[in-house]
Amino acid sequence: MRILVACEFSGVCREAFRARGHDAISCDLLPSEQPGPHSQGDVRDILGQDWDLLIAFPPCTYLCNSGARWWAQRQQEQAEALAFVRLLLNASIPCIALENPEGRISTAIRTPNQLIHPWEYGHEEEKKTCLWLKGLPLLQPTQLMAKREQRVWRMSESKARSRNRSRTYPGIAQAMAQQWG
């Protein structure tokens, strides 16, 4: 399969699919943290190519509920973020998964198909994550963990906070590759 992993600088999801023999490439404005096929730039420049699967992690800065108190002052940014999400969800690609926290996508575009947590995929953490799916089955849990911490929500302020909060959990990426690849 030809797989485009949009808005991913970590390479975690891309590498999970490549480990299973797929032709996967990541694309982000930032360089990739891991060696591998990566297009540094705007995903809109390669979105129209021949892809079988799109997995998208659009920035949540103007979309997630944790930033709701600033929405009134950031209406233009939020409108642009929602337009980008619509573009990704409406791409001419047979199978699409879009990941984002709870927020404006659910009320402005449509409710998610599924809510998942890292603790369902082998990580002792709680972080409610929404999946909007097209042409894909629901992601099935692979390893339930009893201990659950809110590490991401409680992460202290730093320059790297945004990047650290947005990294894909390897267990979730492996489940995506195994079940959707």
Side-chain angles (χ1 to χ4, degrees):
M1 287 178 73
R2 289 201 68 228
I3 300 162
L4 173 59
V5 184
C7 310
E8 182 193 49
F9 64 86
S10 69
V12 172
C13 192
R14 176 199 69 215
E15 289 306 306
F17 278 93
R18 292 184 58 74
R20 299 186 70 78
H22 297 286
D23 178 15
I25 182 173
S26 56
C27 181
D28 197 273
L29 297 173
L30 300 172
S32 180
E33 291 181 334
Q34 294 187 52
H38 181 74
S39 175
Q40 185 176 346
D42 193 326
V43 71
R44 290 173 275 217
D45 294 339
I46 62 172
L47 196 58
Q49 294 180 15
D50 188 27
W51 305 106
D52 300 307
L53 171 61
L54 167 66
I55 299 182
F57 302 94
C60 66
T61 306
Y62 304 112
L63 300 171
C64 64
N65 283 343
S66 63
R69 64 181 169 232
W70 295 289
W71 287 352
Q73 296 87 18
R74 297 180 176 167
Q75 291 181 2
Q76 179 63 35
E77 293 92 339
Q78 188 175 85
E80 291 169 5
L82 287 167
F84 182 59
V85 167
R86 284 185 187 95
L87 177 83
L88 294 170
L89 287 174
N90 294 324
S92 295
I93 299 172
C95 298
I96 297 173
L98 187 133
E99 179 269 358
N100 226 253
E102 285 186 304
R104 284 292 289 143
I105 298 172
S106 299
T107 56
I109 298 176
R110 69 175 171 92
T111 58
N113 298 87
Q114 183 176 16
L115 292 172
I116 63 171
H117 289 274
W119 60 261
E120 297 172 312
Y121 302 91
H123 302 278
E124 294 180 332
E125 296 183 37
E126 186 165 328
K127 180 185 177 192
K128 192 182 297 186
T129 304
C130 301
L131 295 176
W132 288 265
L133 306 173
K134 171 186 154 188
L136 293 169
L138 298 179
L139 196 62
Q140 299 303 309
T142 56
Q143 184 182 357
L144 300 178
M145 304 300 285
K147 184 179 177 187
R148 301 169 190 167
E149 296 179 24
Q150 292 187 345
R151 182 190 64 81
V152 172
W153 183 73
R154 294 183 175 160
M155 197 174 284
S156 61
E157 291 292 332
S158 73
K159 287 185 178 187
R161 183 174 192 249
S162 175
R163 287 174 63 117
N164 292 336
R165 288 176 60 124
S166 66
R167 280 192 180 82
T168 303
Y169 288 87
I172 293 174
Q174 290 166 9
M176 289 176 172
Q178 178 185 9
Q179 296 174 39
W180 297 339

